[in-house]
Every structure is written in structure tokens, then in C-alpha cells.
Amino acid sequence: MLGPNRYGKAETRLVRVHRDGDTHGLVDFTVSVALSGDLAATHLTGDNAGVLPTDTMKNTVYAFAKKHGTGEPEEFALLLARHFVASQPQVHGAKVSVEAIGWERLGPHSFRRRGDHTRTAVVTVTGDGEQVVSGVTGLVLLNTTDSEFHGFVRDEYTTLPEATDRILATAVDARWRHSGVDVAWGESFDASLAAMTGAFVGTYSYSLQQTLYAMGRRVLQERPEVAEVRLALPNKHHYLVDLAPFGLVNEGEVFIAGDRPYGLIEGSVVRDDAVAAVAEWWL
């Protein structure tokens, strides 16, 4: 039998210039749309009567960017998802994902790519409700000290030495689920990002797991509109270089940055009253 399925247009590149006289605004989105619903016939018999072409989805992204502007990523994703569910009776659910690249203003119409991270938003609209998940990927953070790792399990294959002063580095992949859709999206994103980075900076870490929990907990403490935070933190290992062959003492100053393999720490921090709703959006 046919199981759960969906289809859509992935990674539509959208650059929107908002012109206000001589001062321009710049939005840089990558938009993906996925629809589900009464679509079994196209799989089972090839009957496409209920299939909205994915090319139409792409065109809708561009037309809506012109007609309605873009606003924040969450706002634009909600607009699109609601449209597909409302306009297509055979569509029961729409998932719209947006990756937003930031640009820093240099002048009225000049910009520079900002930072190394990407802002994300994933919106799901069905007949049962609406869900918004904001996030960030590729946010590289590093502490040169205030990090230890010791007291761990040892067996016959363990060679890792215990560390009482190490570099802690990661590239944050974080997503946070909102409890509703009446949110000042830009303000909420900036504040959530500041809370996570502030917790990373201010936590004396005995494990990356401890740091993960501190980052998620800080967001929930400071942002009441957030119900749950999920983080994936790769441990970007830095190894002390042996300088003894050169007659030099390396006092925690010269390192080689490892690439692969790396530890990967994943976890979620959830409000007590939001536990029942955490299962679905992780997928």
C-alpha cells in the first residue's frame, strides 16, 4: 500500500529588491515547498488531475514576492503555505521552508554578505493548525578556554586523554518551535540568537552536552514565545601540536584544527507544558 507522501518544488532561489526611493532593501531567500493530501492517484495510476505542477509553485513564490513583498522568512512562508492549502482542495497540508542569507548595508544600495550563518524558517499549515519553526545553521562559535572534559568511561579501546583546559568549538544547527504565530519574527530571531550565543560564551563547560542544554535553556528563559529548542552541535576538535622535536614548549598556544571525524551532540530543551507537542516537527 502507498504510505505517507508529499511532493513539491525545492530550493527556489529568490532575490527581492525593495525600492524606497534611492534607498533599497535586499532579501535573499531559498524557498522549498512540499504539499500533501489526496494525491494517491498520481502514484497508483498516473492520474495527475490533483497535481499542482511544481513549476506553478516556483512561479507562485516569485509572484507573491512581487505582490506582497517578503517580510521576515516566517511571514513569507506562512503566506505561501496558507495559499496552497486554501486554493487547492485536494491539498491538506503544506510545508514551506525558507533559508535566508543576510546582507549588511554599506550604502543606500550597496551591500555585503553578512556572517557565515544562515537563518531558517519552516512553516507547516494543515487543517489542524499552523506551526512555525525558526532556526539557524552554520553559526560557528569558539571558546579558547573555560572548557574541560574528563571523568568519562574508559575501556580497552580508549586512548583519549582527560582535558582540564581545552578549546571548545562548534558550528551550531539550531531550530526552535514557536507556541503560536502572533510573533514579531525579526525581533524574536535576533533575541533567540543572542540568548544562545550568550549562553555559549558564559557557560564554563565540562561537556558539550552541558553547553547545549545551557544554550537551549537560555532561549526558553528569555523568549516566552518559544516552546522548544533543538540543537545539533558538532565538536570541532582542536589538537595541541607537539613542538618538542623543535625544542619548543607548547603551552596551549598552537593547535591543529581537526576536520573529520568529529563528535556530534544533539538534544532538545522543552518547556514543561510543551512536552506533549514535541514529537512531530523533528522529522
PDB file of all heavy atoms in Angstrom, residues 25 50 67 101 112 134 216 242 265 271:
ATOM      1  N   GLY A  25      16.200  47.917  -0.137  1.00  0.00           N
ATOM      2  CA  GLY A  25      16.323  46.779   0.761  1.00  0.00           C
ATOM      3  C   GLY A  25      16.574  45.528  -0.055  1.00  0.00           C
ATOM      4  O   GLY A  25      16.134  45.422  -1.205  1.00  0.00           O
ATOM      5  N   GLY A  50      -5.116  15.873  -9.726  1.00  0.00           N
ATOM      6  CA  GLY A  50      -4.983  16.640  -8.483  1.00  0.00           C
ATOM      7  C   GLY A  50      -3.609  17.227  -8.256  1.00  0.00           C
ATOM      8  O   GLY A  50      -3.346  17.776  -7.181  1.00  0.00           O
ATOM      9  N   LYS A  67       3.855  40.734  -5.406  1.00  0.00           N
ATOM     10  CA  LYS A  67       2.557  41.253  -4.977  1.00  0.00           C
ATOM     11  C   LYS A  67       2.529  41.638  -3.495  1.00  0.00           C
ATOM     12  O   LYS A  67       1.932  42.639  -3.117  1.00  0.00           O
ATOM     13  CB  LYS A  67       1.471  40.207  -5.234  1.00  0.00           C
ATOM     14  CG  LYS A  67       1.170  39.965  -6.702  1.00  0.00           C
ATOM     15  CD  LYS A  67       0.247  38.770  -6.886  1.00  0.00           C
ATOM     16  CE  LYS A  67      -1.092  38.962  -6.189  1.00  0.00           C
ATOM     17  NZ  LYS A  67      -1.994  37.802  -6.416  1.00  0.00           N
ATOM     18  N   ILE A 101      19.702  34.337   3.554  1.00  0.00           N
ATOM     19  CA  ILE A 101      21.072  34.841   3.634  1.00  0.00           C
ATOM     20  C   ILE A 101      21.021  36.309   4.007  1.00  0.00           C
ATOM     21  O   ILE A 101      20.259  37.089   3.417  1.00  0.00           O
ATOM     22  CB  ILE A 101      21.794  34.639   2.295  1.00  0.00           C
ATOM     23  CG1 ILE A 101      21.962  33.141   2.004  1.00  0.00           C
ATOM     24  CG2 ILE A 101      23.145  35.348   2.283  1.00  0.00           C
ATOM     25  CD1 ILE A 101      22.504  32.853   0.626  1.00  0.00           C
ATOM     26  N   ARG A 112      26.948  43.993   1.679  1.00  0.00           N
ATOM     27  CA  ARG A 112      27.997  42.989   1.851  1.00  0.00           C
ATOM     28  C   ARG A 112      27.395  41.786   2.556  1.00  0.00           C
ATOM     29  O   ARG A 112      26.630  41.935   3.499  1.00  0.00           O
ATOM     30  CB  ARG A 112      29.150  43.562   2.671  1.00  0.00           C
ATOM     31  CG  ARG A 112      30.266  42.552   3.005  1.00  0.00           C
ATOM     32  CD  ARG A 112      31.403  43.238   3.741  1.00  0.00           C
ATOM     33  NE  ARG A 112      30.972  43.864   4.966  1.00  0.00           N
ATOM     34  CZ  ARG A 112      31.680  44.769   5.641  1.00  0.00           C
ATOM     35  NH1 ARG A 112      32.855  45.168   5.182  1.00  0.00           N
ATOM     36  NH2 ARG A 112      31.221  45.278   6.767  1.00  0.00           N
ATOM     37  N   SER A 134      11.625  28.361  13.691  1.00  0.00           N
ATOM     38  CA  SER A 134      12.721  29.214  13.239  1.00  0.00           C
ATOM     39  C   SER A 134      14.040  28.523  13.530  1.00  0.00           C
ATOM     40  O   SER A 134      14.096  27.551  14.289  1.00  0.00           O
ATOM     41  CB  SER A 134      12.665  30.568  13.948  1.00  0.00           C
ATOM     42  OG  SER A 134      11.444  31.226  13.687  1.00  0.00           O
ATOM     43  N   GLY A 216      19.964  26.059  24.997  1.00  0.00           N
ATOM     44  CA  GLY A 216      18.523  25.919  24.826  1.00  0.00           C
ATOM     45  C   GLY A 216      17.750  26.506  25.993  1.00  0.00           C
ATOM     46  O   GLY A 216      16.711  27.156  25.802  1.00  0.00           O
ATOM     47  N   ASP A 242      52.565  18.903  18.915  1.00  0.00           N
ATOM     48  CA  ASP A 242      53.788  18.527  19.628  1.00  0.00           C
ATOM     49  C   ASP A 242      54.968  19.292  19.034  1.00  0.00           C
ATOM     50  O   ASP A 242      55.413  19.028  17.911  1.00  0.00           O
ATOM     51  CB  ASP A 242      54.016  17.022  19.512  1.00  0.00           C
ATOM     52  CG  ASP A 242      55.270  16.567  20.266  1.00  0.00           C
ATOM     53  OD1 ASP A 242      55.841  17.388  21.022  1.00  0.00           O
ATOM     54  OD2 ASP A 242      55.670  15.401  20.081  1.00  0.00           O
ATOM     55  N   ILE A 265      26.819  16.217  19.001  1.00  0.00           N
ATOM     56  CA  ILE A 265      25.938  16.244  20.168  1.00  0.00           C
ATOM     57  C   ILE A 265      24.599  16.821  19.740  1.00  0.00           C
ATOM     58  O   ILE A 265      24.531  17.921  19.180  1.00  0.00           O
ATOM     59  CB  ILE A 265      26.538  17.100  21.299  1.00  0.00           C
ATOM     60  CG1 ILE A 265      28.013  16.747  21.527  1.00  0.00           C
ATOM     61  CG2 ILE A 265      25.718  16.942  22.571  1.00  0.00           C
ATOM     62  CD1 ILE A 265      28.274  15.300  21.850  1.00  0.00           C
ATOM     63  N   ARG A 271       9.892  23.286  27.269  1.00  0.00           N
ATOM     64  CA  ARG A 271       9.104  23.763  28.407  1.00  0.00           C
ATOM     65  C   ARG A 271       8.278  22.617  28.973  1.00  0.00           C
ATOM     66  O   ARG A 271       7.804  21.745  28.234  1.00  0.00           O
ATOM     67  CB  ARG A 271       8.158  24.886  27.971  1.00  0.00           C
ATOM     68  CG  ARG A 271       8.845  26.166  27.584  1.00  0.00           C
ATOM     69  CD  ARG A 271       7.854  27.314  27.463  1.00  0.00           C
ATOM     70  NE  ARG A 271       8.523  28.476  26.885  1.00  0.00           N
ATOM     71  CZ  ARG A 271       9.268  29.329  27.588  1.00  0.00           C
ATOM     72  NH1 ARG A 271       9.427  29.127  28.889  1.00  0.00           N
ATOM     73  NH2 ARG A 271       9.855  30.359  26.994  1.00  0.00           N
TER      74      ARG A 271
END
